[in-house]
Amino acid sequence: MTLSTSDVAMLAERLDQAALERRAIAKITNEFPDMGWDDAYRIQDALKARIEARGADCRLLFKAGLTSRAKMVQMGVSEPVFGFLKPDGQVGNGGTTPATAYIHPRVEAEIAVRLKRPLKGPGCHVGDVLAAIDEVMVALEIIDSRYENFNFDLKSVIADNTSAAGWVLGEPVRFRPGMDLAHCGIVMRINDAIVSTVAGSAVLGHPAVPVAMLANLLAAQDREIPAGALILTGGASAACAVKAGDRVDLAIQGMGALSVHFN
Ligand code: OOG
Ligand code: MG
C-alpha cells in the first residue's frame, strides 16, 4: 500500500469524472508507478462509494474480466481482474443504447450466473460454485475503458472498475445438474457477420472458475459473494469495437440469445 487516503479519493474522483464526461484520460500508473494491488482495489472501492452515494445499489452486481486467453492477449495482461456492474448501465434485451453514452465502447460475449446461496472463501472451488448457481444467462458486456486507446496495465484497469460500463442479459435459465457451461457454443454477430465462435471453456477452463476466484479474493477482506448476486464471468473471446448503427447478437447453446442496437 503506497497511496495516501487523499490520493485514493483524488484518483477515484478523476476516474468517475472521466466516465461522467465521457473523456479518456492517461492511465494512472503513469503518475503513480509504485501503487500496489491493494491501492488499485482501494480506488475501485472509493469509485463504488461515489456511485452508490448517487443512489445506485451495486451490492449484488459483480464482474470478472480478462478471464480468457483471447482477452489477455488482446489487452497484453496475464491475470483476471474483478469489478462491479453499475445498475444504470443495464440495457434491456432487444433494446437500444446510444454509442455517445460511451467513450469508445466494445462488446464482449459472456456467461452470467446468479447465485442462490452465498459463496465464501478461502478455499472456494468450482464444486462450491456449481452447487450455488441458481440461474445462468447469456450476457453481453459493453466495456468502455476510461483510458486513452484502452491503454492500461492491470493496476490501472482495476482502479477503473475493469472498464465496466454497460451490460445486457438474456432470459434467465434455471441451472440444472448436468448443464455443461464449459462445452456450450458461444456465437457473437455484429451486423449479421460472425465475429466470434468459442466455447464456455475459453473462460479459465470453466466459467465457474472466476466465480470461485472472486469468492477467494473477497475472503481476504472478510467479505463474501451474497446470495442473489449476479456475476458476469468475463469475455470468452476478444472484445469488438462498436459504433452507432451497429446491431449485436449473441447466442449461447442451452441459454438462448440476446440482441442490442447502438444508435
Ligand atoms: C478490461 C475489462 C475486461 C472482460 O470481460 O474481459 C472484461 C478491458 O479489457 O478493458 O470485462
Ligand atoms: Mg467483461
Side-chain angles (χ1 to χ4, degrees):
M1 195 157 93
T2 64
L3 296 185
S4 67
T5 309
S6 61
D7 280 342
V8 168
M10 179 271 291
L11 291 168
E13 183 182 1
R14 187 189 295 180
L15 286 160
D16 196 20
Q17 282 304 330
L20 291 169
E21 294 165 18
R22 300 159 188 27
R23 179 174 47 78
I25 59 175
K27 67 177 193 295
I28 60 176
T29 46
N30 291 354
E31 196 177 329
F32 295 94
D34 300 326
M35 64 183 263
W37 296 104
D38 49 353
D39 292 322
Y41 278 106
R42 282 167 73 211
I43 298 167
Q44 186 191 111
D45 286 345
L47 182 62
K48 191 197 299 179
R50 294 179 65 91
I51 292 168
E52 291 197 320
R54 296 196 287 268
D57 184 354
C58 309
R59 281 174 300 181
L60 295 180
L61 301 173
F62 296 87
K63 63 163 284 191
L66 306 170
T67 52
S68 62
R69 172 72 37 203
K71 277 288 318 188
M72 291 189 203
V73 169
Q74 182 178 32
M75 305 320 295
V77 299
S78 57
E79 272 177 69
V81 291
F82 299 91
F84 62 92
L85 297 170
K86 291 180 275 189
D88 66 357
Q90 186 171 14
V91 182
N93 182 6
T96 297
T97 185
T100 50
Y102 312 89
I103 303 166
H104 40 199
R106 293 181 178 179
V107 290
E108 299 181 314
E110 308 207 10
I111 291 174
V113 302
R114 182 147 349 242
L115 302 186
K116 60 186 168 201
R117 60 173 90 127
L119 281 174
K120 190 164 173 60
C124 180
H125 58 74
V126 168
D128 300 324
V129 176
L130 293 178
I133 295 177
D134 187 20
E135 296 168 340
V136 293
M137 281 147 281
V138 182
L140 187 87
E141 188 177 15
I142 305 166
I143 54 167
D144 193 34
S145 177
R146 267 55 67 175
Y147 300 122
E148 290 151 354
N149 306 312
F150 270 84
N151 183 355
F152 53 66
D153 46 40
L154 280 173
K155 290 172 186 166
S156 293
V157 74
I158 289 167
D160 183 31
N161 188 25
T162 68
S163 309
W167 44 290
V168 187
L169 294 180
E171 284 299 309
V173 175
R174 177 86 40 221
F175 184 63
R176 303 173 305 272
M179 198 179 219
D180 189 349
L181 301 184
H183 295 98
C184 54
I186 302 175
V187 180
M188 183 160 67
R189 291 182 170 80
I190 300 183
N191 304 330
D192 286 330
I194 293 176
V195 290
S196 67
T197 49
V198 65
S201 58
V203 177
L204 293 174
H206 193 295
V209 172
V211 180
M213 289 178 76
L214 172 63
N216 293 327
L217 178 80
L218 292 176
Q221 302 167 12
D222 206 27
R223 294 171 56 204
E224 61 181 20
I225 313 179
L230 173 79
I231 304 124
L232 263 60
T233 59
S237 52
C240 297
V242 284
K243 57 182 186 323
D246 285 345
R247 177 198 160 100
V248 185
D249 289 281
L250 174 62
I252 305 185
Q253 193 179 3
M255 289 180 215
L258 63 72
S259 71
V260 69
H261 191 264
F262 289 81
N263 70 352

